[in-house]
Amino acid sequence: VQLQASGGGLVQPGGSLRLSCAASGLRFNSGAMGWFRQTPGKEREFVAAVRWNSNNKHYANSVKGRFTVSTDKPKNTVSLQMNSLSPEDTAVYYCAAAASNLIVSSLFTPVSWNYWGQGTQVTVSS
C-alpha cells in the first residue's frame, strides 16, 4: 500500500492550498482516510478525517470552518482544501489511511492508522 501526497508549498497568510493524497495497492471498503501535521519538536497532530463508508467528517478544532476534507472514491484519493491559512498552520502534512473502522477517539491518534504518506511541507509566511 502506498500513499502519495502532493500540493504543499508556500502561501501568504490568508491564502489557500489544496492537498491531495492518492492511495494505491488497496481498495477501501471501510475505514477512513485523513490528514495529520507535524512541526519540529512536536508530536504529530490530527487535522481531519473522513470515513470511507458514511462520508462522516471529523476536524480538529483549530481547523474547523477553514479546512475541508473530501474523498474521490473511484480514484481512491483524499483531499484537504485549506483556506484562511495562518502561520500557525505551517507544518509537514501527512495523509493517512485506516483499513478498518475506527471509533472517534482513535481517529485522533496516529498509532491507530495503518498507512502513511511521505509528508508534504506547507509554509504560511509573508
Side-chain angles (χ1 to χ4, degrees):
V1 177
Q2 187 174 16
L3 302 181
Q4 184 68 43
S6 61
L10 173 64
V11 64
Q12 292 187 343
S16 299
L17 276 177
R18 185 177 181 87
L19 305 182
S20 294
C21 177
S24 60
L26 180 67
R27 177 60 64 180
F28 291 97
N29 295 312
S30 62
M33 292 189 76
W35 294 91
F36 286 72
R37 65 187 181 186
Q38 190 169 23
T39 55
K42 293 190 175 181
E43 295 184 354
R44 193 167 295 188
E45 68 169 354
F46 172 81
V47 175
V50 54
R51 296 184 184 275
W52 204 251
N53 283 344
S54 66
N55 205 39
N56 286 344
K57 300 174 182 181
H58 305 269
Y59 297 95
N61 288 334
S62 58
V63 307
K64 278 182 182 177
R66 301 188 299 123
F67 290 13
T68 301
V69 64
S70 60
T71 58
D72 184 335
K73 289 185 178 181
K75 294 183 178 180
N76 234 23
T77 63
V78 62
S79 297
L80 185 68
Q81 177 66 42
M82 305 184 293
N83 299 328
S84 302
L85 286 162
S86 71
E88 289 70 31
D89 296 313
T90 296
V92 177
Y93 283 71
Y94 296 90
C95 65
S100 58
N101 290 323
L102 301 175
I103 61 175
V104 173
S105 58
S106 293
L107 288 172
F108 307 143
T109 307
V111 69
S112 300
W113 296 76
N114 304 112
Y115 309 104
W116 292 89
Q118 82 282 10
T120 184
Q121 177 71 45
V122 171
T123 302
V124 184
S125 175
S126 56

